[in-house]
Amino acid sequence: MSAHSFSRPPMLRNMLRNMGVTLHRSMILQIAVLAGFWAVGEATVRLTHLPLPGGIVGMVVVLTLLGTGHIRPAVVRRGAGWLLAEMLLFFVPAVMAILDHGELMGLVGLKIAAVILAGTVMVMGGTALTVDLCYRWRMRASAPEAGHAA
């Protein structure tokens, strides 16, 4: 037996194993776990006054735990899959707001769409230029090293 198996009493070990099996099988529990990470993110933002949405902080926590192997993807796979599949439901309030404000369907709506499109193009262009410049800088910085290695 490994030293790790002695660290938990058998009753606790069985309880944790049963919870893990239940969590892997239950999409509702997985959604609750994801909502718990969101709540942790919200609490962190409120306590630390971070200028970030709580959902982003919660997502970073989930990604960190997944990346370090503290939780396995199977723990949240079904719940995350359902949330992604039903994402359209999260946009219903936005669609209802547009229907409530008919002026958005005319010239004002076109102006807003143009601003959103222009902003998106500017952000994507700025990101592409930044990535390109960083790539060129990195290639230029590594070029002398390649010459010395030969």
Side-chain angles (χ1 to χ4, degrees):
M1 285 194 178
S2 69
H4 182 60
S5 64
F6 292 110
S7 63
R8 293 184 184 138
M11 186 173 134
L12 178 61
R13 207 172 31 242
N14 288 336
M15 186 175 75
L16 290 173
R17 185 180 314 122
N18 290 338
M19 284 175 49
V21 168
T22 302
L23 186 59
H24 288 300
R25 292 182 181 168
S26 174
M27 181 174 57
I28 293 172
L29 283 178
Q30 290 182 9
I31 292 169
V33 166
L34 291 169
F37 284 119
W38 168 78
V40 166
E42 277 294 323
T44 303
V45 166
R46 290 178 191 265
L47 290 172
T48 61
H49 304 292
L50 286 172
L52 296 170
I56 298 296
V57 174
M59 183 177 67
V60 168
V61 170
V62 171
L63 288 174
T64 302
L65 291 173
L66 285 168
T68 59
H70 284 79
I71 62 172
R72 292 178 295 186
V75 171
V76 292
R77 181 175 290 134
R78 289 180 66 204
W82 180 83
L83 288 171
L84 288 171
E86 303 303 327
M87 194 176 278
L88 182 61
L89 291 175
F90 301 116
F91 293 105
V92 169
V95 172
M96 295 307 295
I98 289 173
L99 293 177
D100 285 345
H101 297 281
E103 68 272 9
L104 294 176
M105 299 305 284
L107 186 58
V108 172
L110 286 175
K111 290 178 181 178
I112 292 172
V115 168
I116 291 171
L117 181 65
T120 301
V121 168
M122 288 172 27
V123 167
M124 291 175 72
T127 302
L129 287 173
T130 303
V131 168
D132 186 55
L133 288 172
C134 288
Y135 176 76
R136 290 176 189 213
W137 173 71
R138 190 171 205 174
M139 292 305 291
R140 203 175 292 144
S142 66
E145 294 172 9
H148 293 298

